[in-house]
């Protein structure tokens, strides 16, 4: 395996959607490189240190977030640029529309969403929003589903992404809805409750409830993540109790339960453990200023414990003994391909 030379970078590199370019940042500078040659194609300077970089779906634009302002740059016309200051409302999250012609800004405390049009230079607002998990575009990008919170009640709003008109709105029976997904079509959405509940709801976009389901479990944290199979016949529920549930949408029942093991065994799994090198220095000051080098090595044990309970026990024992807890090496588990 060949590696390139080291490049300075403030954030994690971001690949374009087409896979031909990569964006790197150094403070307030944004560099666009060719993936094959790593040659710098474009370089822009933002107002402040860049904290987020977002490629448009068509790889024609790139948005950068610096503090409470954002800028948009064009790959085809390096002179063209767009900037906006959102100091009054702040910026919590930024994401592109599927047509690459609109930029959505979720403001601090999820008070509202501003939709900016690059084509017409206009803006519109979606009020009483909640979080990025409650804002989802349909598979074909023609519709936007948003969960809003009004007077302690949750509502689903369906917008058309061309005119941004409200097509439908209906109330949810949730305590505090945590997320929404499109059920692989433009006619149905899936909504689940917050982490202390174990319920999800399946709705048609006009507001008719198709069905709902609740995982019967003792008092504990509830659903952590939700996904839908490509054919829309299976809902995958990730539970906080290290369990994955498979729900069939036709019979509306749980037909599978997968428990994530804490002990990994077998020859078909490769486990990599992070190994740290010892700091060498003649003085304590040199050791403190030295940067520890680390690498990942293959674990050759037949079984590997990947549970987090062991970390908690070690820290507890060290605290009681007033000793510095040992550094726990992280493990990365990767299944080998057939």
């Amino acid at each position: 395996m060949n590696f390139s030379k080291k490049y300075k970078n403030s954030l994690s590199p971001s690949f374009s959607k087409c896979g031909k370019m990569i964006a790197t940042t150094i403070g307030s500078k944004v560099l666009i490189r060719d993936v094959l040659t790593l040659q710098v194609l474009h370089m822009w300077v933002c107002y402040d240190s860049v904290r987020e970089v977002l490629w448009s779906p068509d790889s024609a634009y790139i948005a950068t977030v610096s503090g409470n302002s954002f800028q948009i740059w064009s790959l085809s016309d390096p002179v063209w640029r767009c900037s906006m200051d959102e100091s009054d409302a702040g910026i919590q999250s930024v994401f592109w529309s599927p047509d690459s012609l609109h930029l959505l800004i979720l403001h601090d405390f999820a008070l509202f969403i501003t939709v900016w049009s690059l084509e017409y230079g206009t803006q519109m607002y979606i009020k009483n929003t909640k979080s990025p998990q409650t804002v989802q575009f349909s598979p074909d990008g023609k519709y936007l589903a948003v969960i809003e919170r009004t007077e302690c009640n949750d509502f689903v709003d369906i917008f058309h992404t061309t005119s941004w008109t409200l097509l439908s709105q209906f109330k949810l029976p949730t305590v505090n809805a945590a997320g929404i997904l499109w059920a692989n079509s433009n006619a149905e959405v899936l909504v689940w409750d917050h982490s202390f509940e174990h319920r999800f709801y399946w709705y048609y976009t006009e507001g008719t409830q198709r069905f709902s389901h609740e995982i019967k479990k003792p008092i504990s944290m509830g659903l952590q993540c939700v996904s839908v199979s490509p054919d829309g016949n299976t809902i995958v529920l990730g539970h906080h109790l290290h369990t994955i549930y498979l729900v069939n949408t036709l019979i509306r029942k749980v037909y599978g339960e997968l428990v994530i093991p804490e002990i990994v065994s077998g020859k078909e799994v490769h486990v990599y453990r992070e190994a740290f090198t010892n700091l060498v220095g003649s003085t304590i000051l040199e050791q403190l200023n030295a940067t520890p080098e680390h690498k990942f090595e293959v674990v050759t044990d037949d079984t590997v414990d990947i549970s987090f309970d062991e970390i908690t026990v070690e820290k507890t024992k060290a605290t009681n003994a007033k000793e510095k807890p040992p550094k726990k090496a992280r493990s990365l588990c990767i299944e080998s391909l057939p």
Side-chain angles (χ1 to χ4, degrees):
M1 182 180 293
N2 297 323
F3 296 91
S4 67
K5 65 177 183 180
K6 294 182 179 179
Y7 293 95
K8 292 183 178 180
N9 193 41
S10 304
L11 303 174
S12 299
S14 176
F15 284 92
S16 62
K17 304 301 180 181
C18 64
K20 297 181 180 180
M21 295 172 287
I22 183 173
T24 60
T25 59
I26 304 176
S28 61
K29 295 182 180 180
V30 179
L31 293 87
I32 308 299
R33 300 178 183 271
D34 184 89
V35 169
L36 298 180
T37 63
L38 295 180
Q39 181 181 0
V40 177
L41 304 177
H42 305 283
M43 185 183 72
W44 299 297
V45 180
C46 302
Y47 295 138
D48 202 349
S49 297
V50 180
R51 65 181 176 95
E52 190 175 4
V53 174
L54 301 100
W55 287 90
S56 63
D58 60 359
S59 301
Y61 300 95
I62 188 170
T64 59
V65 181
S66 303
N68 288 325
S69 64
F70 69 90
Q71 295 175 270
I72 303 176
W73 316 84
S74 173
L75 275 300
S76 59
D77 185 6
V79 180
W80 182 92
R81 66 188 61 185
C82 172
S83 62
M84 183 57 62
D85 186 9
E86 297 285 358
S87 299
D88 294 337
I91 298 177
Q92 177 180 341
S93 181
V94 179
F95 38 93
W96 285 93
S97 63
D99 59 4
S100 300
L101 297 177
H102 300 85
L103 194 70
L104 284 73
I105 311 296
L106 178 62
H107 297 280
D108 288 344
F109 308 107
L111 295 177
F112 62 95
I113 291 177
T114 303
V115 181
W116 291 92
S117 174
L118 302 185
E119 186 176 8
Y120 302 107
T122 57
Q123 60 184 0
M124 62 89 62
Y125 302 98
I126 303 175
K127 298 181 180 180
N128 303 322
T129 53
K130 301 189 67 172
S131 67
Q133 290 74 27
T134 60
V135 181
Q136 291 291 329
F137 287 95
S138 61
D140 61 0
K142 294 182 178 180
Y143 304 97
L144 174 68
V146 179
I147 298 180
E148 70 168 62
R149 186 78 170 178
T150 304
E151 296 181 355
C152 299
N153 293 312
D154 293 323
F155 295 85
V156 172
D157 298 340
I158 306 296
F159 295 89
H160 197 285
T161 56
T162 302
S163 59
W164 294 102
T165 55
L166 180 63
L167 300 179
S168 66
Q169 183 186 68
F170 53 91
K171 185 179 178 180
L172 296 173
T174 53
V175 177
N176 189 8
I180 188 171
L181 281 178
W182 288 86
N184 300 304
S185 68
N186 292 341
E188 299 167 307
V189 291
L190 179 68
V191 179
W192 63 95
D193 224 329
H194 70 103
S195 58
F196 286 101
E197 302 292 334
H198 305 75
R199 296 188 298 267
F200 69 89
Y201 305 87
W202 191 297
Y203 277 90
Y204 293 104
T205 52
E206 74 272 9
T208 304
Q209 184 181 123
R210 181 181 174 185
F211 76 96
S212 62
H213 189 80
E214 181 178 1
I215 303 296
K216 302 296 183 180
K217 280 292 178 181
I219 299 176
S220 65
M221 299 290 284
L223 301 179
Q224 185 176 14
C225 56
V226 179
S227 182
V228 182
S229 63
D231 58 4
N233 294 331
T234 302
I235 301 174
V236 183
L237 308 174
H239 200 275
H240 278 274
L241 296 178
H242 308 289
T243 307
I244 297 175
Y245 297 95
L246 305 178
V247 181
N248 188 285
T249 58
L250 301 178
I251 62 175
R252 306 177 183 180
K253 292 183 180 180
V254 176
Y255 71 90
E257 184 176 334
L258 306 175
V259 179
I260 302 176
E262 295 183 351
I263 303 296
V264 176
S265 62
K267 300 299 182 181
E268 298 298 327
V269 177
H270 296 290
V271 179
Y272 297 85
R273 178 182 292 130
E274 189 177 20
F276 297 89
T277 58
N278 295 327
L279 298 179
V280 179
S282 57
T283 63
I284 297 178
L285 183 60
E286 291 180 357
Q287 295 182 8
L288 293 176
N289 295 331
T291 303
E293 297 183 356
H294 60 90
K295 62 180 180 178
F296 284 91
E297 58 184 14
V298 179
V299 179
T300 58
D301 302 339
D302 293 335
T303 61
V304 180
D305 187 358
I306 62 173
S307 64
F308 296 96
D309 297 336
E310 183 180 352
I311 303 177
T312 304
V313 173
E314 288 183 357
K315 288 184 177 181
T316 303
K317 291 181 178 180
T319 303
N320 294 336
K322 295 183 179 180
E323 297 177 356
K324 185 177 180 180
K327 189 174 185 59
K328 181 68 176 181
R330 296 175 293 177
S331 297
L332 176 65
C333 180
I334 302 178
E335 293 187 1
S336 59
L337 299 176

